[in-house]
Amino acid sequence: MNRETIQLPSPNGTENFYAFAGIDGSGKTTLINSLSSELRIAGHDVFISKAYTPEHKDAFSQFIETADDIEIMFMFQAFQRRQRNNILARLALGSVVLADRWNETFEAYHSQNGDLSNRPSLRAAIDDLTVGDLRPARTFYLRIKPSVAMRRTHSRGADFFDVKTIDYHQAQADYYDKRADEDDSWITIDAHRTPADIMAYTLNIIRDDINS
């Protein structure tokens, strides 16, 4: 994570829109909250974007107990469409948007699970209908060993994804690794580093983008 030795790609998505990817327990929420505080101190209006609120998450966790993969997919995509619309509204107001996950979660899950796993064209069409051409300027990928991430999530109280097996989380991590290798707008960060180190590194990149 030494910026003097890493050649960062130029942003290639929507200005002032940053997404944060990684398996549960990688530190996305902690990083976003720290960045938000620092950016607000610097005078920026910041909007933290999530597909659903904690209240929605509680209701959703009950829904998926009896739902099949297609029902879950449509519910998630409805939340993501709302997220997309809220992001566009805040970008129009000049906000810096920090998104706790973006559409990479759709492909990460459905490319490996359920009825859509062997239907890439349909997945692409659903994703395009949901988010259109809205893409982050950069995606910060917090890379972490699933075993470490699971210890973190279990210590805070597991939700409906946290109780998945380590094989599930490893498959998600493998997808993110592959995506980061293929997408020049993704920046991989070692999530085993201290939160302060990760925040300082990421903040410097965002500041440079904003001031360029």
Side-chain angles (χ1 to χ4, degrees):
M1 295 198 327
N2 186 334
R3 302 184 73 235
E4 295 179 354
T5 60
I6 296 176
Q7 183 64 40
L8 294 175
S10 298
N12 64 359
T14 303
E15 184 179 0
N16 289 347
F17 173 25
Y18 298 91
F20 297 80
I23 62 175
D24 287 346
S26 59
K28 296 183 298 298
T29 300
T30 298
L31 175 57
I32 288 170
N33 289 338
S34 297
L35 289 170
S36 175
S37 296
E38 291 295 325
L39 290 168
R40 285 172 175 148
I41 289 171
H44 299 287
D45 182 73
V46 179
F47 177 61
I48 297 176
S49 171
K50 293 188 176 186
Y52 42 81
T53 66
E55 292 77 16
H56 288 147
K57 189 173 184 178
D58 290 341
F60 188 61
S61 64
Q62 298 177 25
F63 169 79
I64 68 171
E65 288 179 359
T66 57
D68 62 27
D69 280 342
I70 298 301
E71 289 176 301
I72 293 170
M73 182 273 292
F74 278 117
M75 179 66 77
F76 263 119
Q77 294 312 97
F79 282 132
Q80 181 120 79
R81 180 68 179 185
R82 174 67 62 86
Q83 182 184 20
R84 175 246 187 208
N85 292 341
N86 289 339
I87 288 172
L88 287 174
R90 294 304 295 259
L91 288 171
L93 295 174
S95 300
V96 176
V97 174
L98 308 178
D100 190 339
R101 302 182 186 274
W102 184 230
N103 66 324
E104 76 285 342
T105 57
F106 171 77
E107 184 68 12
Y109 180 81
H110 289 289
S111 64
Q112 304 178 80
N113 300 276
D115 294 336
L116 296 181
S117 60
N118 61 351
R119 305 176 73 178
S121 297
L122 181 55
R123 292 199 308 271
I126 293 170
D127 183 62
D128 182 65
L129 183 64
T130 304
V131 301
D133 59 359
L134 180 60
R135 294 292 182 267
R138 300 188 191 275
T139 296
F140 295 100
Y141 165 42
L142 297 172
R143 190 173 190 270
I144 191 170
K145 294 179 180 178
S147 58
V148 176
M150 291 180 73
R151 285 199 296 271
R152 291 181 180 180
T153 58
H154 290 168
S155 69
R156 74 189 183 198
D159 67 15
F160 52 90
F161 282 125
D162 298 336
V163 297
K164 296 283 191 178
T165 66
I166 193 168
D167 289 340
Y168 169 86
H169 292 292
Q170 184 63 62
Q172 298 293 291
D174 291 344
Y175 170 83
Y176 290 134
D177 286 346
K178 183 173 183 292
R179 178 72 178 270
D181 287 340
E182 296 173 347
D183 192 329
D184 287 342
S185 69
W186 279 49
I187 297 174
T188 300
I189 297 172
D190 181 358
H192 303 93
R193 305 287 292 268
T194 67
D197 186 21
I198 293 171
M199 192 278 291
Y201 172 77
T202 310
L203 180 63
N204 283 335
I205 294 173
I206 294 175
R207 280 176 173 166
D208 286 350
D209 287 348
I210 292 173
N211 295 329
S212 63

